[in-house]
Amino acid sequence: KDVWYSFIQDFVEALESDAPTLVIDTGTQAWACDRQAFLQEWQENIEATGLPGKRIPESLPQIMYTQPNDRYKALLYGAKAKKKNLVIVHYETDEYELKFNAKTGEKESVATGRPKFDGFSRTPTAADIMLRTTRKYDPKTRESIGHGEITLCGLTVKVQGLLLENPTWNSIMVQIA
């Protein structure tokens, strides 16, 4: 909980600063920290009530995500309101989908083999641009080359799906202009 509130304090200070661009590295960890902080607050409230037989939860049920969701959305929209560029780095995780298992007769969650960003699921609705970056080894030059794919662009659809080699802020902005 202390880590989350320290992060929020730093973020608010950055929003009030002259810096045009803010970076959260990583959004995956910030989102996890938000949920864990809320869980800790909930656990502390349960302990404070002293209700006999009341079990202390070890994880946050899906139905309790409303407040952490709202807190995280406030970060995203706070940056927009202050006209800041907000860059959020995310880890990737496997995308899952429900598939019918003929042996069991049940639906089960199965990894698709497609990567997706790991973080607050509503980030794309607030994002102007989402860029998926990878590194590929070139055996001819024996160098690792950065690649970027614009997976979402709310500013102009003409660049959605665009692949860039060694993308930079400027090379992305040139494509959008």
Side-chain angles (χ1 to χ4, degrees):
K1 169 175 94 171
D2 294 338
V3 172
W4 172 250
Y5 286 110
S6 176
F7 167 73
I8 292 302
Q9 183 177 345
D10 290 345
F11 189 81
V12 169
E13 286 176 17
L15 283 177
E16 299 301 326
S17 75
D18 292 337
T21 302
L22 310 179
V23 178
I24 298 175
D25 187 358
T26 73
T28 305
Q29 291 172 330
W31 172 228
C33 188
D34 178 15
R35 293 188 324 270
Q36 286 302 112
F38 184 76
L39 172 62
Q40 183 180 348
E41 292 165 358
W42 186 37
Q43 291 168 331
E44 289 169 354
N45 286 338
I46 290 171
E47 287 176 351
T49 61
L51 295 174
K54 183 73 172 173
R55 190 178 68 79
I56 306 293
E58 294 179 17
S59 63
L60 202 57
Q62 199 72 31
I63 197 164
M64 298 282 294
Y65 274 42
T66 302
Q67 285 184 318
N69 287 352
D70 289 346
R71 295 191 315 194
Y72 203 82
K73 281 191 286 190
L75 296 177
L76 304 177
Y77 290 110
K80 275 188 185 286
K82 293 289 187 174
K83 307 236 186 292
K84 301 284 185 178
N85 300 312
L86 178 59
V87 176
I88 307 175
V89 178
H90 285 90
Y91 298 127
E92 286 188 331
T93 189
D94 286 327
E95 179 181 72
Y96 282 82
E97 64 187 17
L98 289 177
K99 292 208 172 188
F100 180 74
N101 183 326
K103 290 181 183 177
T104 64
E106 304 274 329
K107 283 188 176 182
E108 58 186 40
S109 185
V110 179
T112 65
R114 293 185 303 264
K116 69 173 198 143
F117 85 98
D118 186 14
F120 179 55
S121 64
R122 294 191 190 124
T123 300
T125 62
D128 291 325
I129 301 169
M130 290 187 74
L131 179 75
R132 180 175 183 263
T133 58
T134 56
R135 296 200 68 75
K136 294 181 183 172
Y137 179 74
D138 183 346
K140 291 179 185 174
T141 62
R142 296 184 178 188
E143 292 180 357
S144 179
I145 304 200
H147 293 270
E149 176 187 3
I150 298 175
T151 59
L152 178 140
C153 186
L155 303 173
T156 175
V157 293
K158 72 177 184 176
V159 298
Q160 202 150 314
L162 183 67
L163 300 173
L164 300 167
E165 190 171 298
N166 288 322
T168 64
W169 180 268
N170 290 340
S171 69
I172 294 168
M173 292 300 111
V174 163
Q175 296 298 322
I176 291 170

